[in-house]
Amino acid sequence: MLKVVKFGGSSLCDAEHFRMAAKIIRSDESRRYVVPSAPGKRFPGDTKITDMLYEFHRMVRDHAPSEEIDAYFDKICERYYGIINDLGLDFDISHEMLYIKNSILGRSGRDYAASRGEYLSGLILAKYLGYDFIDAENVIYFTDTGAFDADRTQEVMSAELAQHERAVIPGFYGITPNETVKTFTRGGSDVTGSIVARAAQADLYENWTDVSGFKMADPRIVENPLTIGTITYRELRELSYMGATVLHEEAIFPVRYAGIPINIRNTLRPQDPGTMIVAAAQDYDSEHIITGVAGRRGFTVITLEQDMMNSEVSFGRRVLEIFEEYGISFEHLPSGIDTMSVVLETSLLEGRRERILNSLRRGLRPDSITVEDNVALIAVVGRGMVKARGTAARVFSAISSAGVNIRMIDQGSSELNIIIGVEEHDFDNSIRAIYSEFVKQQ
Ligand code: ASP
């Protein structure tokens, strides 16, 4: 058994959390490769190290007064020195800090600056655990165009890992062909963890954070929602897309193809089993018919109506062509016999709404065009829906009983999800109604 464990910034925000992380790692000897984030917020209103590094880089770029620059860098140093001292480590990183400061003063890039958060976190954690340190810049590669180079990384990293029984590999960054440090997008240590898990051929990728897994619904809307025990990668994609975020979107791919499950765990509550993210649904019976419900506000529905639309061969294509010309990607395309609707994010229409509508009028000459703003989309997601008859009916009647008018329905052909459009002011009520329909209140 081999596990790759990633600890997020909230799990490494101070020495106390480093200790908790180390205890978790040491309690299971299969936890051989560790991917840390940079120290995160210690309390509400605190600043993450990554954000401090971005700020430091900005100050240098904008030629802030040198006393201010120095004072700000000292604050970053203090956070790390504090962790080292509180851990009781005999570890002098002052030369590292000086080198980093001088590199940024000497105009090293913004990504380099940000990446030092993980780098230093990794050095300290490796020292504290007595694990080897593998610098991500020697094992994670990007291409000339800035894309992640999966093949080269896999080859080099797997060979490197084979040389180390136990190691810490800092998250978030890698190197480009011209030797420049580059980061993934924010939250990217999740991606590193996934890449390491694949290269190590791990049995499990544990992602330790500050929540005990994914909730079936947003806790800001539903009181005390249940935690999802097992979710498939596809279900997770559907839910994350609609706003449920715990894991970086791109973290799924490396492990998904390698068939490695991800376990979301809570550093503060290691006794909780968390959420398992797995490939194949059939291996895991879902506890409820629905796995989760999530959604987003801020959509517009443009509906075109035309008598006998169904017999007109090219209507749909021409509608889509017009959106393509404007570079607009749409979300859904529900259609009826004589109507076709395009659901898209309202922000995409900004500054060109009339032009787009005119293009549709000119290009298609429909009998009517209606535009409805302030629509929220809700995704009811669940691999259990395929087997359970009448799920859609239950969803709709639950929403209707809450007095909500459904504006649009779209069922994914995979039967994995049902998308419902409601008016934004009905959003919270609809989510609550769907959740209580499928989850018995305790
Ligand atoms: N430290 C980086 C960030 O704050 C990456 C990460 O934590 O995953 O985005």
Side-chain angles (χ1 to χ4, degrees):
M1 183 68 142
L2 195 168
K3 293 178 188 165
V4 168
V5 291
K6 179 256 167 180
F7 286 86
S10 55
S11 300
L12 295 169
C13 64
D14 58 16
E16 191 48 36
H17 284 77
F18 264 71
R19 260 193 220 104
M20 286 189 250
K23 192 170 167 206
I24 289 166
I25 297 164
R26 291 189 181 121
S27 69
D28 178 347
E29 61 173 37
S30 64
R31 295 184 173 131
R32 286 173 42 202
Y33 299 117
V34 183
V35 176
S37 278
K41 293 184 184 184
R42 293 158 295 182
F43 44 82
D46 194 15
T47 311
K48 288 171 142 201
I49 287 282
T50 309
D51 291 311
M52 294 181 86
L53 288 161
Y54 280 130
E55 176 60 12
F56 180 69
H57 180 267
R58 188 201 60 76
M59 289 169 86
V60 173
R61 191 200 58 201
D62 295 352
H63 305 286
S66 66
E67 318 80 73
E68 280 177 29
I69 289 186
D70 290 346
Y72 199 79
F73 196 76
D74 286 347
K75 284 210 278 183
I76 298 174
C77 293
E78 276 160 28
R79 289 240 4 221
Y80 283 109
Y81 295 159
I83 292 172
I84 291 172
N85 289 338
D86 293 349
L87 288 176
L89 278 181
D90 177 19
F91 191 34
D92 181 8
I93 57 162
S94 54
H95 51 289
E96 291 281 356
M97 298 308 293
L98 191 62
Y99 183 85
I100 291 168
K101 185 180 178 186
N102 285 335
S103 302
I104 300 171
L105 289 175
R107 299 276 177 261
S108 281
R110 187 172 182 266
D111 280 14
Y112 168 82
S115 74
R116 296 306 88 183
E118 271 64 16
Y119 172 77
L120 292 164
S121 203
L123 281 183
I124 298 171
L125 192 58
K127 176 84 179 167
Y128 187 56
L129 290 168
Y131 278 29
D132 296 343
F133 177 79
I134 301 176
D135 193 341
E137 70 173 50
N138 298 324
V139 283
I140 293 202
Y141 297 96
F142 292 92
T143 64
D144 281 330
T145 57
F148 168 59
D149 187 342
D151 293 341
R152 181 155 182 227
T153 300
Q154 167 71 13
E155 193 188 316
V156 176
M157 191 185 297
S158 50
E160 183 64 29
L161 292 176
Q163 310 289 318
H164 304 265
E165 179 64 19
R166 295 173 186 281
V168 173
I169 306 101
F172 195 33
Y173 67 94
I175 196 106
T176 64
N178 67 9
E179 306 270 289
T180 309
V181 169
K182 180 176 162 53
T183 64
F184 293 105
T185 50
R186 295 300 305 264
S189 299
D190 282 343
V191 184
T192 308
S194 181
I195 293 166
V196 174
R198 177 178 172 219
Q201 293 183 289
D203 299 289
L204 184 65
Y205 168 26
E206 286 180 345
N207 189 297
W208 292 82
T209 173
D210 55 359
V211 290
S212 294
F214 296 102
K215 300 285 180 196
M216 288 184 70
D218 186 339
R220 288 167 299 188
I221 301 174
V222 171
E223 210 186 309
N224 258 328
L226 294 181
T227 300
I228 301 172
T230 307
I231 187 169
T232 64
Y233 289 117
R234 279 181 56 208
E235 288 173 316
L236 182 62
R237 287 278 296 153
E238 302 279 351
L239 285 177
S240 323
Y241 179 66
M242 292 303 275
T245 50
V246 172
L247 191 70
H248 192 293
E249 257 201 327
E250 289 158 38
I252 288 179
F253 301 107
V255 282
R256 178 176 182 175
Y257 295 120
I260 302 166
I262 308 178
N263 190 191
I264 306 290
R265 300 285 294 266
N266 188 346
T267 306
L268 298 173
R269 294 183 54 86
Q271 68 276 23
D272 291 351
T275 299
M276 273 292 225
I277 311 169
V278 300
Q282 61 273 24
D283 298 347
Y284 300 87
D285 260 350
S286 47
E287 296 117 286
H288 299 275
I289 292 170
I290 67 164
T291 301
V293 50
R296 273 200 284 152
R297 293 180 163 85
F299 291 96
T300 294
V301 184
I302 300 178
T303 302
L304 300 130
E305 191 170 345
Q306 163 124 313
D307 280 347
M308 303 298 289
M309 184 193 286
N310 65 333
S311 55
E312 233 187 272
V313 179
S314 63
F315 196 89
R317 175 178 56 74
R318 285 186 287 137
V319 172
L320 298 187
E321 257 170 18
I322 290 172
F323 284 98
E324 193 181 335
E325 274 162 31
Y326 285 92
I328 289 181
S329 68
F330 58 89
E331 306 292 318
H332 296 282
L333 272 184
S335 58
I337 297 184
D338 293 330
T339 62
M340 179 169 171
S341 302
V342 180
V343 184
L344 69 168
E345 277 178 33
T346 310
S347 59
L348 295 173
L349 295 173
E350 221 169 275
R352 50 188 181 167
R353 177 183 288 249
E354 273 319 305
R355 261 186 296 141
I356 295 171
L357 293 177
N358 280 335
S359 300
L360 288 168
R361 279 188 201 106
R362 244 182 290 116
L364 295 143
R365 311 207 163 277
D367 297 337
S368 72
I369 295 190
T370 48
V371 180
E372 200 182 340
D373 289 319
N374 305 320
V375 173
L377 291 184
I378 296 173
V380 186
V381 177
R383 59 192 182 279
M385 297 190 328
V386 188
K387 281 183 249 151
R389 253 187 277 149
T391 308
R394 281 177 71 185
V395 172
F396 304 142
S397 72
I399 303 183
S400 313
S401 314
V404 172
N405 190 5
I406 299 178
R407 314 298 314 180
M408 184 211 93
I409 297 166
D410 197 5
Q411 172 153 30
S413 47
S414 60
E415 283 194 62
L416 193 70
N417 63 359
I418 300 171
I419 307 284
I420 301 142
V422 299
E423 284 166 31
E424 282 181 349
H425 60 84
D426 286 328
F427 180 65
D428 288 7
N429 270 341
S430 308
I431 298 258
R432 281 193 280 265
I434 297 167
Y435 180 83
S436 3
E437 171 65 29
F438 290 95
V439 182
K440 284 204 188 63
Q441 300 305 310
Q442 322 284 314

